[in-house]
Amino acid sequence: MNRKIVWVLLPISVMLLAGAGLVLADRDGDDDDYRKGWFFPRWMTPQRMAYDSESGKLYKEECGSCHFPFQPGFLPASSWQEMMQGLDDHFGENAELSEQTNQQITQFLLSNAAGEVNREIPNKVMWSLRYTPQPKRITETAFFRHEHREIPPGFMQRRETPLSFANCDSCHTRALQGSYNEHEIRIPGIGRWDD
């Protein structure tokens, strides 16, 4: 092959490979199968819950007994701190814990919060909060609103069995594992979601 052609095709090939990597990297927390190699940096992987740690198990047990145990990376540390200090009025409910349990769960949330871990979703959450005040709810972040922008207004309530954004795992089949892959969305009564 002519050397001039090689020098022209080589940069084009490199750009195509890099472009394919970027396309794969923008998969909104897909499964890890394609990320197990060296090519994909750690921040692109879905945030995993450390349920195997003592604090993670306690968080899942205490908070998950009432609602979906949200990954800490969905809110910044300041939001989690404020939430854990006001459990006597936790969105209209009394969710107070013993002081020791509260401290242990608070530490777990703060050390895994957006801005504290270098992962895809927490990084996107922090980017979405750059011009907005500290959110009290995950649904108040620009990141959450952007990701759910295709859901028509009132869709969640106009159903035989209403859905709630507070139960991620009702539609995201692997939410407990920290995967929010759009290909794993199954809406009850409708099926697979395609956007």
Side-chain angles (χ1 to χ4, degrees):
M1 188 183 271
N2 187 336
R3 283 184 170 217
K4 287 182 182 180
I5 294 174
V6 170
W7 285 109
V8 169
L9 292 177
L10 184 64
I12 292 172
S13 300
V14 169
M15 287 189 301
L16 287 172
L17 284 171
L22 290 174
V23 168
L24 287 173
D26 188 32
R27 292 175 62 171
D28 295 333
D30 285 357
D31 57 34
D32 282 344
D33 291 343
Y34 71 98
R35 293 197 188 108
K36 290 185 177 163
W38 59 271
F39 186 76
F40 295 95
R42 183 175 157 202
W43 69 269
M44 292 181 186
T45 60
Q47 183 180 7
R48 298 284 178 231
M49 285 297 301
Y51 287 142
D52 55 338
S53 72
E54 185 180 335
S55 298
K57 288 177 184 175
L58 184 62
Y59 170 70
K60 183 179 177 184
E61 179 184 314
E62 291 292 339
C63 301
S65 66
C66 295
H67 57 73
F68 177 79
F70 302 101
Q71 282 78 17
F74 279 118
L75 286 174
S78 57
S79 295
W80 288 120
Q81 183 73 49
E82 184 177 321
M83 189 177 303
M84 293 303 291
Q85 289 174 348
L87 289 179
D88 58 325
D89 184 15
H90 185 63
F91 303 107
E93 300 289 329
N94 185 339
E96 288 181 290
L97 302 167
S98 71
E99 186 175 335
Q100 179 182 356
T101 300
N102 187 307
Q103 287 175 355
Q104 194 171 351
I105 291 174
T106 299
Q107 186 55 45
F108 171 75
L109 293 170
L110 298 182
S111 61
N112 291 285
E116 302 299 321
V117 293
N118 190 22
R119 301 281 185 163
E120 180 182 9
I121 290 176
N123 289 347
K124 288 180 177 182
V125 167
M126 289 307 291
W127 178 255
S128 80
L129 295 175
R130 65 193 182 284
Y131 302 119
T132 57
Q134 168 186 314
K136 291 183 179 172
R137 297 173 183 263
I138 292 167
T139 56
E140 293 174 354
T141 65
F143 167 75
F144 183 91
R145 289 192 308 268
H146 172 77
E147 290 298 314
H148 295 85
R149 69 191 177 280
E150 295 176 2
I151 297 175
F155 172 79
M156 305 288 273
Q157 278 64 47
R158 284 193 311 251
R159 304 177 40 73
E160 194 173 303
T161 305
L163 296 172
S164 168
F165 285 128
N167 294 317
C168 301
D169 57 344
S170 62
C171 296
H172 295 273
T173 60
R174 293 189 58 231
L176 278 172
Q177 291 80 30
S179 178
Y180 293 87
N181 176 342
E182 63 190 41
H183 303 294
E184 298 169 349
I185 298 173
R186 303 288 184 275
I187 299 176
I190 293 178
R192 189 170 181 271
W193 177 265
D194 269 331
D195 54 342

